[in-house]
Amino acid sequence: MSKFQETNFRGKKALIRVDFNVPLDENYNITDDTRMRATIPTIKKILSDGGSVILMSHLGRPKEGPTEKYSLKHLVKHLSELLGTDVQFANDCIGEEAVQKAASLKEGQVLLLENLRFYKQEEKGDKEFAEKLSKLGDVYVNDAFGTAHRAHASTAVIAQFFSPENRMFGLVMEGEVASAEKVLHGSEKPFTAIIGGAKVSDKILIIENLLERATDIIIGGGMAYTFFKAMGGQVGNSLVEQDRLETAKELMSKADAKGVCIHLPSDSVIADKFAADADVSSSLSNTIPDGWMGLDIGSMACDTFTKVIHNSKTILWNGPMGVFEMDKFQHGTKAIAKAVAEATENGAFSLVGGGDSVAAVNQFGFADRVSYVSTGGGAMLEYFEGKELPGIAAVK
Ligand code: AMP
């Protein structure tokens, strides 16, 4: 059992850093409550032990202090419904009202604090601000994996004001860390990493770290064309990062030296413009005619990648295979989602992490058919780059 599960919160006030940074529409309705729902088991465990809960989070990127648009009060009603109990709200995350409301919380009660980022001190990692927050609870629980890569006041700095036995990760954080660890350090081979998305420059560090661990690396999406260009291919108007051609070459020779197999998409779906109504054709990825651009992996690539994925025991997927937001260019990403789901059904462990691939598995209905879908985009990416995340280090 983990520290969180072993702890009895009876009579304790747990100050939980959650990630309630959810999208809201113009009427302040929550359009995707995934992050809120993820934290419910952590909150319920504390309440059922006989503890009380103080929740703190950021929402959006308020620049000018308190702003209606970014107020966490818009979340109270939905949170109350999810928890089946009335949630109280403090109009400020520190100060008299927050102190009073936190102090008078009774067993089984929940208090949500106003947006932490209404104070610049939050993102600056201000020690005094962190100390003020820390006074609100007896125990600090970090359950915000999505911000674990930031050394902010509420995510990292605050931990020092609690003794080691009174600071811990919540269930979301534990789940994220356990599955990332399973992939990075306990992975059964063959271990295939599928890396897609727009740019090589965003993914260099993750590829370098995975070269130490993976047996196969599948590269798709816009970034593949920088690799083809680096090898002397013709990629037409496809996305190419000219200043990363050398990097692409280096990554390929490192992979070669380490015996890691890099799979590039042999063919592509090509388009005459970057638009949903573009004319579409197909081509080998290294002979794309001028005036055309690769916007998805082609059918041969789908077949080859599917075979590699089916043969894997561990799979990490970050980044889409094409411009999946447009119907004409989503086939490749769908095919890969299907292959990952099938491999999982056959016993592989699969983790999907990083913004757009998570959006894709949700959109295409495969989220329940993979082993783990990470809620932390940037944080998961940094984890796989091999960095120690400040939010994790501080609690440890
Ligand atoms: P990232 O955030 O780096 O994972 O990139 C995700 C974005 O890459 C998505 O918005 C995709 O539309 C885009 N993308 C994927 N494939 C391509 C491509 N072949 N050309 C241009 N953009 C792409």
Side-chain angles (χ1 to χ4, degrees):
M1 265 215 298
S2 70
K3 184 166 169 185
F4 179 79
Q5 282 160 326
E6 273 173 6
T7 302
N8 187 342
F9 290 91
R10 195 188 166 86
K12 295 200 171 133
K13 291 189 196 329
L15 178 63
I16 318 181
R17 175 52 157 106
V18 289
D19 180 2
F20 282 177
N21 184 27
V22 291
L24 300 175
D25 66 16
E26 63 279 10
N27 298 316
Y28 307 122
N29 296 309
I30 301 160
T31 54
D32 180 353
D33 69 350
T34 310
R35 288 174 171 158
M36 288 174 81
R37 275 188 289 111
T39 313
I40 299 301
T42 300
I43 301 172
K44 283 197 165 165
K45 140 84 179 150
I46 296 169
L47 299 181
S48 70
D49 277 358
S52 54
V53 165
I54 301 148
L55 298 167
M56 53 180 178
S57 177
H58 74 284
L59 174 65
R61 291 171 183 269
K63 296 258 178 300
E64 310 286 328
T67 325
E68 176 74 7
K69 189 176 161 197
Y70 298 116
S71 173
L72 280 163
K73 71 180 180 207
H74 306 305
L75 275 48
V76 171
K77 185 166 167 278
H78 189 63
L79 182 61
S80 300
E81 283 163 11
L82 289 176
L83 285 169
T85 185
D86 279 345
V87 171
Q88 302 175 37
F89 185 70
N91 292 296
D92 196 348
C93 60
I94 53 171
E96 194 60 22
E97 185 192 350
V99 171
Q100 288 294 336
K101 287 191 170 164
S104 54
L105 271 189
K106 300 205 175 51
E107 185 178 301
Q109 293 187 327
V110 182
L111 171 67
L112 176 64
L113 304 177
E114 183 55 290
N115 198 337
L116 293 160
R117 290 199 189 163
F118 285 173
Y119 286 87
K120 292 214 175 355
Q121 291 93 319
E122 163 64 358
E123 290 184 78
K124 286 192 174 135
D126 184 83
K127 210 170 157 184
E128 244 175 76
F129 176 69
E131 189 172 12
K132 281 185 191 156
L133 290 170
S134 76
K135 298 268 192 267
L136 300 173
D138 309 312
V139 182
Y140 171 66
V141 178
N142 189 346
D143 215 19
F145 185 73
T147 48
H149 57 316
R150 310 276 183 227
H152 293 171
S154 70
T155 61
V157 181
I158 191 171
Q160 65 191 287
F161 300 108
F162 294 87
S163 60
E165 63 280 11
N166 283 331
R167 58 181 196 233
M168 62 195 78
F169 302 128
L171 297 172
V172 173
M173 195 79 154
E174 280 181 358
E176 295 276 357
V177 173
S179 46
E181 280 296 302
K182 190 164 170 171
V183 167
L184 273 186
H185 300 294
S187 54
E188 251 192 276
K189 304 271 155 69
F191 167 16
T192 298
I194 309 161
I195 308 293
K199 291 180 176 171
V200 184
S201 48
D202 292 339
K203 308 286 164 96
I204 295 167
L205 294 176
I206 188 170
I207 295 176
E208 280 195 334
N209 195 32
L210 290 168
L211 284 174
E212 305 295 327
R213 303 172 202 283
T215 42
D216 296 84
I217 299 181
I218 288 175
I219 293 180
M223 57 188 281
Y225 303 101
T226 298
F227 284 84
F228 282 113
K229 179 95 185 195
M231 291 186 293
Q234 291 166 23
V235 298
N237 294 358
S238 305
L239 194 68
V240 168
E241 285 174 279
Q242 290 294 345
D243 57 342
R244 298 293 172 178
L245 295 175
E246 276 313 306
T247 312
K249 274 191 207 160
E250 277 166 26
L251 288 172
M252 282 188 291
S253 57
K254 275 189 198 163
D256 213 26
K258 290 182 185 297
V260 178
C261 197
I262 298 239
H263 305 270
L264 289 163
S266 54
D267 61 339
S268 293
V269 174
I270 57 171
D272 62 348
K273 57 182 175 185
F274 189 92
D277 64 349
D279 279 339
V280 168
S281 184
S282 59
S283 161
L284 289 178
S285 299
N286 59 2
T287 51
I288 297 177
D290 285 345
W292 292 76
M293 60 184 83
L295 293 186
D296 194 8
I297 58 172
S299 55
M300 288 193 298
C302 285
D303 289 347
T304 317
F305 289 1
T306 296
K307 284 195 190 107
V308 176
I309 293 165
H310 280 172
N311 191 37
S312 307
K313 287 267 171 284
T314 306
I315 301 159
L316 166 68
W317 182 13
N318 174 288
M321 295 291 103
V323 184
F324 75 102
E325 298 93 335
M326 300 180 196
D327 285 354
K328 286 181 180 172
F329 314 111
Q330 60 181 216
H331 179 75
T333 303
K334 245 187 213 168
I336 293 318
K338 182 166 174 281
V340 174
E342 287 161 351
T344 312
E345 273 141 25
N346 287 326
F349 180 81
S350 56
L351 188 159
V352 183
D356 277 333
S357 34
V358 172
V361 291
N362 283 329
Q363 183 181 327
F364 301 144
F366 287 96
D368 293 337
R369 294 176 60 195
V370 298
S371 310
Y372 196 84
V373 179
S374 172
T375 56
M380 195 49 105
L381 197 63
E382 289 198 19
Y383 204 100
F384 283 112
E385 288 173 353
K387 292 180 186 154
E388 184 164 43
L389 309 186
I392 292 178
V395 169
K396 275 189 184 162

